[in-house]
Structures are given as structure tokens and as C-alpha cells.
Amino acid sequence: MQNLTEHFAHVLLFACPQCERPLASACASSKQNLEEADAHFFNPHCHCGWTGAVAGMEAVKHWVQPWRGFTAEVGAAGPGDGTCDGRAH
Ligand SMILES: [Zn+2]
């Protein structure tokens, strides 16, 4: 099951609401548009001990990078395991 669809890595930079350290989260998506990851929730963990769900649209910065195929889609992909799409395939 080789999937040759183009993929994109979305890299989002958040500020920790507790200590304001930068927190980076990344996920993979088959979509390039920013809205795709903006609608997604991430669970960054901060060194200060804070962890929580933040929406992609709260990101301070959002990069999209063309990415090679990834294998996260194989099996039950969930919102917390590295895909922006957040649904099982
Ligand atoms: Zn923090």
C-alpha cells in the first residue's frame, strides 16, 4: 500500500500559557493549506510542567513544508499521533 500522494509537514510554534516558553508541535498532512492544521488540536508538553490542548489557530507561527510520504496513516491514525488530519483511514 504505497501512497505516493504529496504530503506536507505543518510546524506550529506556540507560547506556553504558563511560562511563555516556545513550544513547537509538528504534524503531517496531505493538505497544504494552513486552515487544515489551524483547526487541529495539539497537546504540547512544556518543561515547566504545563500540558494542555491548544488549537492550531492559536499558534504564534505556522510553517508548511513539503514532506515525503509518511507511514502514520497506516492503521488507526489519531489526532495525537502526528497527523493533522485527525481521522483514522
Ligand atoms: Zn511552560
Side-chain angles (χ1 to χ4, degrees):
M1 277 181 55
Q2 191 72 18
N3 186 354
L4 296 176
T5 320
E6 194 165 18
H7 287 102
F8 300 92
H10 290 254
V11 182
L12 295 94
L13 185 66
F14 299 98
C16 173
Q18 195 163 281
C19 71
E20 301 193 352
R21 270 192 187 90
L23 302 173
S25 287
C27 62
S29 177
S30 55
K31 314 264 174 48
Q32 185 174 14
N33 57 320
L34 300 181
E35 289 77 15
E36 192 72 18
D38 281 351
H40 190 66
F41 280 88
F42 298 86
N43 285 285
H45 300 268
C46 184
H47 289 295
C48 74
W50 180 88
T51 186
V54 285
M57 60 187 302
E58 295 177 51
V60 176
K61 183 86 177 161
H62 185 167
W63 296 270
V64 181
Q65 171 73 30
W67 203 254
R68 301 173 59 151
F70 56 95
T71 54
E73 285 183 317
V74 179
D81 61 11
T83 124
C84 298
D85 299 334
R87 63 181 98 83
H89 288 267

